[in-house]
Amino acid sequence: IDLRVDSGSGSIAMDLTQLSLTALTLDSGSGSSSIRLPESSSAYTVDIESRSGSVTMVLPADTSLTARIDSGSGSINIDLPGDVALRVEVQDGGSGSVNLPNALARIEGRSDEDEGVWETAGYASAQNKIEIILENVGSGSINVR
C-alpha cells in the first residue's frame, strides 16, 4: 500500500502495524498525529510534512525504512525499537532542538553545528536499517528516542 494522508486541523491516530506498506506520506496541519508503523521484509519510505501539530511515530523492529521529515513549529517524537541500526541526517537544524540517542556517533558535520550525519556502530553492515532525514526542523523540537 502506498498510503497518502492529508490532515488539516484535526488530530489523527494511525495504527498501521497490520498493513504492508511501500510508502506513507503524511501532510498534517495543526492537529496532532500519532503513527505506529509496521514491520516489513521490504524497505519502505515515510514522508512527513508537519506544520504546527505534534507528530509521534513508533517505529518497528525488524524492518528497513527511510523517513523524511519537514517540520514547522510542532514537536516530532520518534520512538525506536531497542538496538536498531540508525542513521540520522539533519539537513537544516532551524531554531528547534534536535535530541538524538547517545549511541549515535557524528560521522559528518562540525561539532558546533546542528546539521550533520550520525550513525550507530555497524550501521553500514546491518541487515535492517532505519534512516531519518530531517530536511527542516523549524521551531519545534525533534526527539529521537
Side-chain angles (χ1 to χ4, degrees):
I1 297 172
D2 181 350
L3 181 61
R4 297 172 188 269
V5 179
D6 189 352
S7 168
S9 61
S11 296
I12 60 171
M14 296 187 293
D15 183 347
L16 307 176
T17 56
Q18 301 302 309
L19 298 181
S20 178
L21 286 182
T22 56
L24 169 65
T25 303
L26 172 64
D27 186 352
S28 68
S30 60
S32 63
S33 301
S34 173
I35 308 160
R36 293 185 67 82
L37 295 171
E39 289 186 358
S40 177
S41 58
S42 300
Y44 62 93
T45 60
V46 176
D47 290 299
I48 295 180
E49 183 174 342
S50 173
R51 290 178 215 23
S52 61
S54 65
V55 175
T56 298
M57 283 195 311
V58 178
L59 279 59
D62 299 327
T63 199
S64 290
L65 65 86
T66 300
R68 289 178 182 82
I69 299 170
D70 183 348
S71 69
S73 60
S75 64
I76 306 286
N77 298 298
I78 303 170
D79 295 329
L80 302 168
D83 200 29
V84 64
L86 176 65
R87 175 184 171 99
V88 177
E89 178 180 346
V90 180
Q91 294 178 349
D92 182 356
S95 62
S97 62
V98 177
N99 303 298
L100 302 175
N102 292 332
L104 293 176
R106 181 188 289 266
I107 62 166
E108 290 180 23
R110 295 185 2 208
S111 63
D112 62 337
E113 294 180 342
D114 289 338
E115 291 81 13
V117 178
W118 291 260
E119 286 183 0
T120 55
Y123 176 83
S125 61
Q127 180 177 351
N128 294 316
K129 302 175 184 184
I130 293 176
E131 179 179 26
I132 299 169
I133 301 169
L134 302 172
E135 295 174 345
N136 181 17
V137 173
S139 61
S141 63
I142 306 285
N143 302 296
V144 180
R145 49 192 186 213

